[in-house]
Amino acid sequence: TVCAIAWMTHAAEKTYPNYRMVSIENYKLFKGVVFDGSEANEYFIDLELVEDSGNQLLVSAKVSSIKSNDNGKDKTVFHYTAQLILSALNDALEAPKANFKLSDSLSSAKALNGSSSDSAKELYVNGTLFHGESLQGIRDIIECNEQGLMLTCQVPQIAESKQGDFKIHEQNIFANDLVFQAMLVWVKKQMGMGSLPSSTLNWTVYRQVQLDELFYLKLTLVEQSAAKMIADIQLISTDNTLIAEIKSAEVTASENLNNLFLKSPADNTASERL
């Protein structure tokens, strides 16, 4: 999901070079791109300029591919869609302060050395999360309850060598992925199931997280049912300023994902890619 968002954002910013993405609305996953050997040779990003107010553009983006049916006819398969709000380069968003006071335990990196840091490391080996080394950015579980959770996060240095075409200073997919990792953690701890992202109502970006930057992630539960969870998430700097704010992100939960998230000792190929 975060790579798909970065993909659409990159295409829009290249198409409109005097603008940069400041917000994403109505992101939806239809049929994700799976790299299992059966993926399409080509993928298409269709951009439509919906509104132009001068300093701001509203661009609709869709990612699709062409698949041949059994009868030989081509069929369009849609993978991802979103509406991107682009702002003129000279019209920067001002980052607001977060709505709570950081306690002493959040004011420095010393929280990384506690027992909760040990439990955070366990998330990546006990089947809660399946992410490889460069995506293992959860450093500390500060709080987790029925209302939400609070994490200390830090994108590891190895991400720089794994960033590929999505440069960290342009689109920090490693930090952005922690938004959905936090949701997976909450669902696993509170519901006992694995989960995967499906949609996001709004994602406002004030700036990108820097490599090796310590920051905090606050998740607030919005809605929960037997098969889904919706939450609001904030990425917060150590000076209590918002880095990004996500509204109504949704994951689909299923017990069938529990075994899929468990890694066998020999299953290192996929995780080593990122």
Side-chain angles (χ1 to χ4, degrees):
T1 281
V2 294
C3 287
I5 290 173
W7 197 7
M8 291 185 284
T9 297
H10 180 77
E13 290 180 341
K14 291 298 182 183
T15 304
Y16 305 99
N18 294 324
Y19 295 82
R20 68 176 183 89
M21 186 275 291
V22 294
S23 183
I24 301 153
E25 295 183 343
N26 301 315
Y27 165 81
K28 291 182 180 179
L29 163 69
F30 295 119
K31 183 177 177 57
V33 177
V34 180
F35 296 96
D36 60 357
S38 65
E39 64 270 10
N41 292 324
E42 291 183 307
Y43 291 88
F44 307 94
I45 301 181
D46 293 318
L47 301 176
E48 179 186 355
L49 180 59
V50 178
E51 185 177 335
D52 182 355
S53 61
N55 282 342
Q56 203 166 79
L57 307 178
L58 177 61
V59 178
S60 176
K62 290 183 179 179
V63 178
S64 64
S65 63
I66 303 298
K67 182 178 181 180
S68 296
N69 293 331
D70 293 338
N71 57 12
K73 293 184 177 181
D74 290 342
K75 175 185 177 182
T76 299
V77 179
F78 291 102
H79 300 283
Y80 314 95
T81 185
Q83 290 184 314
L84 309 177
I85 297 176
L86 307 179
S87 183
L89 294 177
N90 59 358
D91 189 21
L93 286 180
E94 183 177 350
K97 290 290 185 180
N99 295 325
F100 67 99
K101 294 182 179 179
L102 296 175
S103 67
D104 291 339
S105 64
L106 301 179
S107 62
S108 72
K110 65 182 181 181
L112 302 180
N113 300 319
S115 59
S116 55
S117 178
D118 295 333
S119 61
K121 294 176 183 177
E122 285 295 311
L123 297 173
Y124 296 102
V125 295
N126 65 10
T128 300
L129 300 171
F130 50 82
H131 302 70
E133 187 177 8
S134 64
L135 290 167
Q136 295 178 6
I138 298 177
R139 292 292 176 264
D140 188 45
I141 304 173
I142 297 166
E143 185 178 34
C144 183
N145 54 40
E146 293 180 354
Q147 289 74 46
L149 59 75
M150 189 78 180
L151 305 173
T152 305
C153 299
Q154 193 173 35
V155 175
Q157 283 284 344
I158 192 175
E160 188 170 22
S161 65
K162 302 284 188 176
Q163 61 187 320
D165 291 335
F166 300 125
K167 304 303 181 184
I168 291 175
H169 68 278
E170 296 176 355
Q171 286 284 310
N172 194 333
I173 61 170
F174 304 92
N176 295 344
D177 193 69
L178 294 169
V179 168
F180 297 107
Q181 288 188 38
M183 299 182 73
L184 269 61
V185 170
W186 191 93
V187 170
K188 184 69 171 183
K189 287 185 172 294
Q190 299 296 325
M191 300 171 62
M193 292 188 284
S195 56
L196 290 172
S198 55
S199 65
T200 301
L201 181 63
N202 178 270
W203 189 319
T204 300
V205 179
Y206 298 104
R207 67 171 177 85
Q208 296 296 319
V209 173
Q210 302 302 304
L211 183 67
D212 213 29
E213 176 184 2
L214 183 72
F215 66 99
Y216 308 106
L217 187 152
K218 180 184 180 183
L219 181 150
T220 303
L221 180 68
V222 172
E223 182 183 337
Q224 175 192 354
S225 69
K228 73 175 183 181
M229 187 270 270
I230 300 175
D232 293 341
I233 298 103
Q234 293 179 326
L235 304 186
I236 305 164
S237 68
T238 54
D239 64 359
N240 206 21
T241 301
L242 288 181
I243 300 172
E245 190 167 21
I246 298 90
K247 295 291 186 182
S248 294
E250 180 177 332
V251 293
T252 301
S254 171
E255 290 185 0
N256 294 332
L257 292 171
N258 287 339
N259 289 335
L260 287 177
F261 287 3
L262 287 171
K263 294 180 183 178
S264 67
D267 186 23
N268 290 321
T269 304
S271 64
E272 286 301 319
R273 295 173 186 169
L274 285 175

